[in-house]
Amino acid sequence: MPGLLASMKKDPQVAQKVSGIESSKRLAAYTAVDHHIKPEHRVIGIGSGSTVPYVVERIVQQGQEANKGRVFIPTGFQSRQLILNAKLSVGDVDEYPSIDVTIDGADEVDSSLNCIKGGGACHLREKVIAEAAQTFIVVADYRKNSQSLCTNYPPGVPIEVVPFAYGKVLTAVQKSIGSPKATLRMAIKKAGPVVTDNGHFVIDAPFEPERMQDPSAVLRQIKLLTGVVEVGLFCNMAKAAYFGNEDGTVTIRHADGRTEEISGAQQ
Ligand SMILES: O=C(CO)[C@H](O)[C@H](O)COP(=O)(O)O
């Protein structure tokens, strides 16, 4: 899509909006790093997506001394490249099963901090790295801040499946789980389906927002289907979510129900 983005950016109004969204992502990421990546943290999980590069950028700004002796655990190919390009040390969760803090993006976050993740098809590793962390923090722009899941993210819930079982799982998701419009995610610059970093396919399952009043129940139902590897519903996992706003403020929602509006980090 780079051609489309380039032509959109030529329209001044669209260009302003795009750069507004980018600066909202950066604001959320910088503020979350300032609040949660402390000198004593040695093992840090790095998520995937377009907001996370700003997380790595801010961590690099903490300086070589702060990052000496730290190891960064990626959630997929993209975040591994980010870590390597930033000249930070990379590790894997099998060597470091206990992570101090993981910071990751999200596709949608509800008022209880339940998240839809997997827009980049990385949600299996993302969930492992989030679960391994003592503190899991979400960073996103204001568009992801929602009351109820499946309101602002039309593709719905990403479901990673083993390839040979996709037809059976897709039919079950459509007919038994209640997502009649669920589809197999197709690749854009490759003929055929998206293949994850783990060699699996992804089904995107939109649900009515009412169904998402209890996302844990939907998660349990989908996870019980044989052939499902992981579901992009992250329920009761995040300690806080940071949303960058267009006016330069950051909305922080905490797991205990508190919400703060603060000025974003100095850039
Ligand atoms: O879950 C993810 C990838 O699997 C991403 O964290 C999610 O898609 C958010 O990405 P972005 O920061 O580009 O909005």
Side-chain angles (χ1 to χ4, degrees):
M1 206 82 93
L4 177 60
L5 194 60
S7 65
M8 283 163 67
K9 279 180 175 168
K10 282 192 189 134
D11 175 333
Q13 271 183 334
V14 174
Q16 205 175 15
K17 188 87 187 162
V18 170
S19 75
I21 290 166
E22 280 310 303
S23 66
S24 305
K25 291 179 186 182
R26 187 169 54 219
L27 209 55
Y30 277 25
T31 310
V33 169
D34 291 1
H35 288 187
H36 293 281
I37 307 292
K38 298 295 180 193
E40 64 272 23
H41 294 141
R42 312 316 293 162
V43 185
I44 297 163
I46 300 292
S48 315
S50 59
T51 312
V52 161
Y54 298 117
V55 169
V56 174
E57 194 170 279
R58 191 58 155 184
I59 288 172
V60 168
Q61 287 172 15
Q62 291 186 343
Q64 279 184 355
E65 198 51 37
N67 285 309
K68 202 164 70 185
R70 276 181 174 164
V71 61
F72 295 85
I73 316 298
T75 51
F77 181 90
Q78 177 228 355
S79 67
R80 187 167 189 278
Q81 292 305 112
L82 272 177
I83 295 165
L84 292 174
N85 290 343
K87 307 218 174 327
L88 299 169
S89 299
V90 72
D92 213 340
V93 69
D94 54 358
E95 300 165 80
Y96 298 96
S98 181
I99 296 173
D100 293 314
V101 186
T102 291
I103 304 189
D104 200 349
D107 299 299
E108 194 170 12
V109 185
D110 76 8
S111 52
S112 305
L113 300 192
N114 300 306
C115 306
I116 291 180
K117 288 188 49 54
C122 300
H123 51 288
L124 168 60
R125 282 171 192 249
E126 289 173 338
K127 203 179 260 191
V128 171
I129 304 307
E131 275 183 7
Q134 274 169 32
T135 305
F136 172 51
I137 301 295
V138 171
V139 288
D141 63 76
Y142 55 91
R143 299 171 303 169
K144 317 293 182 70
N145 187 354
S146 192
Q147 276 310 300
S148 177
L149 298 181
C150 288
T151 309
N152 296 336
Y153 183 64
V157 177
I159 306 167
E160 184 159 350
V161 290
V162 293
F164 80 89
Y166 96 85
K168 187 218 71 145
V169 173
L170 182 58
T171 304
V173 169
Q174 290 168 336
K175 302 220 160 116
S176 318
I177 308 286
S179 177
K181 297 200 171 128
T183 50
L184 181 66
R185 191 183 297 180
M186 300 309 281
I188 293 180
K189 289 199 173 173
K190 162 194 171 282
V194 164
V195 179
T196 69
D197 289 352
N198 319 298
H200 301 136
F201 292 172
V202 177
I203 289 169
D204 287 305
F207 288 91
E208 293 301 324
E210 298 74 58
R211 191 72 193 285
M212 286 293 148
Q213 293 313 305
D214 187 358
S216 300
V218 178
L219 165 61
R220 279 193 298 273
Q221 280 184 304
I222 301 174
K223 194 110 191 233
L224 279 175
L225 299 171
T226 305
V228 169
V229 181
E230 195 45 82
V231 184
L233 282 169
F234 286 43
C235 300
N236 306 314
M237 293 178 69
K239 282 248 171 72
Y242 285 65
F243 302 98
N245 298 315
E246 282 180 299
D247 62 0
T249 62
V250 174
T251 302
I252 311 171
R253 292 223 310 261
H254 298 270
D256 61 12
R258 279 177 307 123
T259 300
E260 296 175 77
E261 298 276 344
I262 63 163
S263 301
Q266 290 281 322
Q267 315 229 350

